[in-house]
């Protein structure tokens, strides 16, 4: 440090990053591993989890998978379309109830009822949210936040579908291994599928809807139509998560509309790194187990993740994944100004 | 007659609950989702001063309001100032702060029904054959008084005028040397104090529970959304609409639709008239 | 500032990761000092029906262990209580949370038996499938009043035979206690019109509906359908005005939420000329009720489901339990699940000793043959439905208790066998 004078840090992309952005990515193993490394780490990391964990933690894996799906949906809507949907609980509730009603009242076997719940539920949710699609920002957030609350109150008030007791005695999904790999597989599939989707042409339109919807309108495309498609995709995941949860424990009820399903995805997205899809997935795999560890402290764990959320939003908006990605792809050095 | 009197009381309760939220949003476009937590915090603070430390009633009230106002200002200065202009982050941050505060109170043992504030005046009177307790009469008085004072404050004091200026046209106000951060801090402090005041007036009717914090937030949002976010006149009018709607539902249909009315009101208003019933916002601005 | 914030968060994150890594190691580190019979209690500890059960179970287990523990075959083993918060009484918490806790107790804490909760009916019903999957004997001691619970055991005995309930349930409370008590009040004070306010939960709705039907048959004037209030309502004025305008003389309240104290305050402030009768009324059950309502709740009747939750002489054990609880926790028993939670470890101990093993099936068979004189009368389980057999005579079965608040005290007024006082009417009703 013999040099005097003011200095600043400069970030430069690593050579390997620049090379692997282009066709040269396939030029050598090094570049290919550079690209594949993080992705394979994620995939294998998640797939190893059930083997590495035992007993009760395997149940935690399942519930984390449910939250991961909701988080993916939230991140997709919030950071690619600018629709902040605080109604993840609506998706789980609708999915869980449809599957539960079909399975319990009409004896439909699980695979069929879950499929109907996923697709049909997503349709229903999309139709419900359709009228609010012209809204943005705070308004959309508020109205979607209210939906699950209203659904819960309505079910209780009219005393339908088992009322406050819920519907018990549904068929359950078979053993714990199937349970875990089903939800992990779906979560991973959705994560990579969505990443693919947002890099396609339609993904460009989605981003356009978020950044400049007037431009999209000027190009002769219907904003609402694209928003509806996106909501449908997010609802597919959410409804599947709900149906899965219903058959995981053989029970469905009002608490599938619980606020937790709306709030935790938000925290996970903030922590994991908004707008990266994989980040929020990781975020939920960090937050849910931590809150599980803190269970002994009762409601203090909610305080904890609320505080973590505030800290991240205020001091570290990019979130974990964006931060690590930067470290992975670029190096920093000091230059004299 | 029952309906008229209790509808009025219910409406003024809602107005009291919502006016702080409406003020903050109106002045600085900040959705203060910690509103419910501030409401309950004031209640517990007042309770601690009264029952825990034995401070007399009036100083306890003033103290707890000051504390709440301070917390409101602090929330802005420490957190919101950094995320201003990002509505989503504002919602998340304030909601998270509220969540943390409420759940901390729950963890700290404020649960059950033993936490109550004494009524201002004990006893009840009969108005036109309807028994009303004096605390509810106080709600009518304080609610109406507050609306009046706020109107005067925002029309005839420097700070109030600055608040309104910022609310109407931020850029012009900035040019005239009105400091946007300062007004926002004032607004948060005022809004929090108003939430606290609502708590001190309404809580003696029942008991202080953590859960009420969430309900208060929902009611505040319902009223403000229906009245048009950011317009406090609209909020007061909407409080009357929802308040009477609730009372009518409770007495003619069934009490368990009490909350459903508010929730459905939000959903329908937002779908059909996003800017609310009384707001004068332009088509483009609706798409916030 | 920004850097400091980052450091802060970095620190927090690193600590957490380290914690996560350390956890399994810690788990490996703690070796079991001695073998104990683990009782897992999934309770909603932030609420009355969670913490009172926790205190009662703890007290019973301490007493049992102090007396030498449980005799299993030739060995004597102590009980060990593992309480975990299910949060299931909190609104907005998914039932899957509670189920996860049950799983955690079984798989991680290696609970041999489940006791206490889950408390909310919804969660208790959902947990049954889980318990049968793991073949764990469970004794429900508080909270869930839904008749569906033991009906399910009776319907699918082989699947759900592991589930027992030692506390009362809605059907008997209505038919065996509330209706007779109401008729008694009616005869004594010449009252015959009833107004029903219930909470928006299944057992309350059903209970309120049945009471309305039966009382109408008995020649009472039942006003309106049961008025249903959502959990967490804080304003009951419209309902009370209706009761007043339509000349109700008894207001039946069935709500297990703390806001019921507000209801009684309003009742007093409006001077509604009707006797408040709580078939389940969370607030009025607690000793702290008098202070919380500044005495406005006087004359309110409350049903605490099982004797022993308010001072009375049902059996020799009743006051002994009452005093022991007061001494241990510095407060009188509070909620309707206290005495039943206290009895559960004793009943379990008795069954284990007779079965001579911890094997679930053997313990189930032994529990079915349970017959012991407990805090709230003779405790036996119906062999088909595993519901404790109720009665109004402590010599014959589990007795309930209805008391009235009189001058700051909880005075037991029903059943007649154990009553310590007479039902009084508020002065503005005469």
């Amino acid at each position: 440090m013999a040099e005097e004078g003011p200095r600043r840090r400069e970030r430069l992309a690593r050579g390997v990053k620049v090379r692997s952005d282009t066709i040269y990515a396939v030029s050598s193993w090094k570049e290919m591993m550079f690209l594949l490394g993080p992705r394979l780490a994620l995939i294998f990391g998640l797939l190893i989890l059930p083997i590495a964990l035992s007993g009760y933690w395997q149940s935690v894996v399942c519930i984390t998978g449910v939250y991961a799906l909701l988080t993916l949906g939230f991140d997709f809507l919030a950071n690619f379309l600018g629709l902040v949907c605080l109604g993840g609980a609506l998706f789980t509730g609708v999915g869980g109830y449809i599957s539960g009603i079909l399975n319990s009242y009409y004896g439909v076997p699980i695979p069929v009822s879950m499929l109907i719940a996923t697709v049909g539920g997503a349709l229903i949710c999309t139709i419900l949210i359709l009228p609010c699609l012209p809204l943005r920002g705070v308004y959309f957030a508020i109205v979607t936040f209210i939906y699950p609350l209203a659904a819960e109150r309505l079910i209780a008030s009219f005393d339908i579908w088992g009322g406050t007791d819920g519907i018990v005695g549904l068929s359950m999904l078979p053993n714990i291994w199937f349970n875990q790999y089903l939800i992990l597989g779906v979560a991973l599939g959705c994560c990579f599928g969505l990443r693919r989707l947002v890099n396609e042409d339609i993904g460009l339109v989605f981003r356009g809807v978020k950044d400049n919807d007037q431009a999209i309108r000027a190009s002769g495309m219907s904003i609402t139509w694209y928003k509806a498609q996106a909501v449908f995709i997010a609802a597919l995941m959410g409804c599947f998560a709900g149906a899965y949860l219903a058959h995981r424990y053989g029970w469905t009820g009002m608490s599938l509309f619980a606020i937790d399903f709306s709030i935790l995805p938000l925290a996970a997205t903030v922590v994991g790194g908004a707008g990266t899809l994989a980040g929020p997935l990781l975020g939920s795999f960090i937050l849910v187990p931590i809150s599980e560890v803190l269970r002994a402290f009762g409601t203090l764990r909610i305080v904890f993740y609320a505080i973590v959320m505030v800290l991240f939003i205020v001091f570290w908006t990019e979130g974990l994944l964006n931060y690590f990605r930067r470290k992975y792809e670029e190096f920093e050095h000091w230059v004299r100004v | 007659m029952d309906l008229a009197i209790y509808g009025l009381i219910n409406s003024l309760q809602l107005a009291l609950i919502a006016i702080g939220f409406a003020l903050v949003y109106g002045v600085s476009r900040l959705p203060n989702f910690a509103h419910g937590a501030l409401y309950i915090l004031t209640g517990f603070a007042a309770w601690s001063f009264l029952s825990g430390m034995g401070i007399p009633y009036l100083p306890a009230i003033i103290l707890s309001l000051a504390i709440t106002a301070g917390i409101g200002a602090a929330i802005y200065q420490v957190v919101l100032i950094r995320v201003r202009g990002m509505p989503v982050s504002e919602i998340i941050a304030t909601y998270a702060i509220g969540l943390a505060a409420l759940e901390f109170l729950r963890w700290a043992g404020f649960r059950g029904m033993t936490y109550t504030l004494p009524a201002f005046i004990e006893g009840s009177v009969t108005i036109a054959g309807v028994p009303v307790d004096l605390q509810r009469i106080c709600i009518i008085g304080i609610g109406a008084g507050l609306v009046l004072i706020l109107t005067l404050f925002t029309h005839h004091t420097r700070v109030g005028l600055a608040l309104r200026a910022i609310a109407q046209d931020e850029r012009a106000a900035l040019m005239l040397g009105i400091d946007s951060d300062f007004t926002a801090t004032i607004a948060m402090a005022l809004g929090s104090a108003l939430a606290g005041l609502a708590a001190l007036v309404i809580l003696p009717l029942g008991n202080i529970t953590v859960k009420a914090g969430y309900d208060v937030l929902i009611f505040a949002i319902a009223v403000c959304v229906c009245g048009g976010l950011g317009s406090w006149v609209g909020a007061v009018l909407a409080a009357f609409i929802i308040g009477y709607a609730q009372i009518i539902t409770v007495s003619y249909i069934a009490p368990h639709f009490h909350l459903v009315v508010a929730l459905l009101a939000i959903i329908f208003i937002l779908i059909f008239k996003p800017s609310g019933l009384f707001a004068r916002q332009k088509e483009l601005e609706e798409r916030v | 500032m920004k850097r400091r914030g980052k450091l802060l968060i970095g620190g927090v994150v690193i600590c957490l990761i380290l914690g996560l890594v350390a956890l399994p190691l810690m788990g490996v580190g703690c070796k079991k000092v001695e073998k104990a019979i683990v009782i897992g209690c999934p309770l909603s500890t932030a609420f009355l029906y969670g913490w009172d059960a926790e205190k009662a179970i703890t007290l019973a287990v301490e007493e049992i262990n102090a007396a030498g523990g449980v005799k299993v075959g030739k060995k004597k083993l102590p009980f060990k209580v593992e309480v975990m918060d299910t949060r299931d009484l909190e609104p907005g918490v998914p039932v899957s949370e509670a189920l996860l806790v049950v799983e955690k107790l079984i798989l991680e804490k290696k609970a041999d038996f489940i006791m206490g909760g889950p408390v909310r009916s919804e969660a208790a019903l959902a947990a049954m499938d889980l318990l049968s999957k793991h073949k764990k004997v469970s004794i429900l001691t508080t909270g869930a009043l839904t008749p569906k619970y033991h009906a399910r055991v009776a319907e699918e005995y082989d699947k759900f035979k592991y589930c027992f309930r030692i506390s009362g349930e809605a059907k008997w409370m209505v038919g065996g206690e509330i209706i007779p008590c109401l008729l008694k009040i009616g005869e004594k004070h010449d009252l015959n019109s009833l107004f029903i306010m219930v909470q928006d939960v299944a057992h309350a709705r059903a209970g309120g509906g049945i009471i309305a039907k039966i009382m109408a048959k008995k020649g009472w004037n039942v006003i309106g359908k049961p008025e249903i209030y959502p959990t967490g309502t804080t304003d009951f004025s419209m309902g009370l005005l209706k009761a007043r305008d339509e000349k109700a003389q008894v207001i039946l309240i069935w709500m297990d939420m703390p806001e019921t104290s507000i209801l009684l305050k309003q009742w007093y402030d409006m001077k509604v000329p009707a006797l408040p009768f709580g078939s389940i009324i969370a607030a009025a059950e607690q000793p702290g009720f008098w202070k919380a309502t500044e005495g406005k709740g006087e004359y309110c009747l409350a049903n605490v489901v099982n004797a022993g939750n308010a001072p009375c002489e049902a059996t020799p054990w009743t006051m002994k339990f009452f005093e022991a609880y007061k001494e241990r926790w510095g407060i009188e028993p509070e909620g309707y699940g206290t005495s039943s939670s206290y009895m559960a470890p004793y009943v379990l101990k008795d069954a284990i000793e007779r079965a001579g093993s911890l094997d679930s099936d053997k313990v189930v068979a032994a529990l079915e043959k349970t017959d012991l004189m407990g805090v709230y009368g003779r405790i036996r389980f119906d062999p088909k439905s595993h519901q404790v057999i109720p009665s109004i005579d402590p010599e014959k079965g589990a007795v309930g208790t209805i008391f009235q608040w009189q001058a700051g005290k909880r005075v037991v007024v029903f059943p007649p066998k154990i009553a310590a006082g007479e039902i009084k009417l508020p002065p503005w009703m005469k």
Side-chain angles (χ1 to χ4, degrees), chain A residues 55-57 59-60 63 67 152-153 156-159 162 164-166 168-169 172 245 248-251 253-255 258-261 289-290 292-293 295 298-299 301-302 304 308 311-312 315-316 318 320 323 326, chain C residues 1-3 5-6 8-10 12-13 16 20 23 46 84-87 90 92-97 99-101 103-104 107-108 120-122 125-126 129-130 133 146 148 152 159 200-203 205 230-231:
Chain A
Y56 149 82
W57 284 98
S59 301
V60 179
I63 202 95
Y67 280 117
E152 204 174 354
R153 284 255 52 93
S157 304
F158 288 110
D159 206 13
T164 47
D165 271 359
V168 283
M172 291 206 209
L245 201 56
R248 162 101 184 84
Y249 290 113
W251 154 93
M254 269 167 42
S255 67
I259 290 185
D260 281 29
F261 293 119
I290 288 181
E292 213 40 64
V293 168
R295 184 179 285 286
T299 53
R301 60 211 188 110
I302 303 172
F304 157 80
V308 165
L311 286 176
F312 266 95
F315 296 108
W316 207 5
E318 59 184 356
L320 290 173
Y323 175 79
R326 222 181 47 231
Chain C
M1 186 69 221
K2 250 190 115 84
R3 286 212 40 197
K6 268 196 191 160
L8 207 127
I9 295 187
V12 169
V13 169
L16 285 170
L20 274 177
L23 263 167
M84 255 189 195
D85 186 15
T86 53
R87 296 170 59 211
E90 283 168 50
V93 173
V95 163
S96 50
E97 274 276 299
L99 298 176
L100 207 56
V101 171
E103 275 192 308
K104 183 167 185 162
L107 296 169
E108 195 175 89
R120 194 164 72 186
S121 298
E122 192 184 17
L125 289 167
D129 298 83
L130 203 62
K133 198 168 103 183
T146 178
K148 221 187 213 167
R152 272 190 98 193
K159 190 172 172 192
D200 200 349
V201 289
H203 61 79
R205 274 174 176 245
T231 309

Side-chain angles (χ1 to χ4, degrees), chain B residues 73-130:
Chain B
I75 289 178
Y76 184 79
Q77 284 294 342
V78 177
V79 176
L80 287 180
I81 207 164
R82 298 166 205 277
V83 293
R84 203 148 172 214
M86 296 183 275
V88 179
S89 301
E90 287 165 356
I91 289 189
I92 296 175
T94 49
Y95 186 80
I97 292 169
L99 195 68
L102 285 173
E103 293 303 327
F104 178 78
L105 285 174
R106 199 195 297 267
W107 178 79
F110 284 105
R111 55 205 188 195
M113 49 103 205
T114 46
Y115 300 98
T116 52
L117 291 177
F120 297 161
I121 324 165
E122 279 294 346
S124 61
V125 289
T126 309
I127 304 171
V130 186

Side-chain angles (χ1 to χ4, degrees), chain C residues 297-320:
Chain C
E298 187 164 18
Y299 305 110
C300 174
L301 288 118
N303 179 343
V304 280
V305 186
N306 296 113
N309 298 320
C312 72
E313 298 283 354
T315 72
W317 198 346
T318 316
M319 282 320 281
K320 221 165 70 191

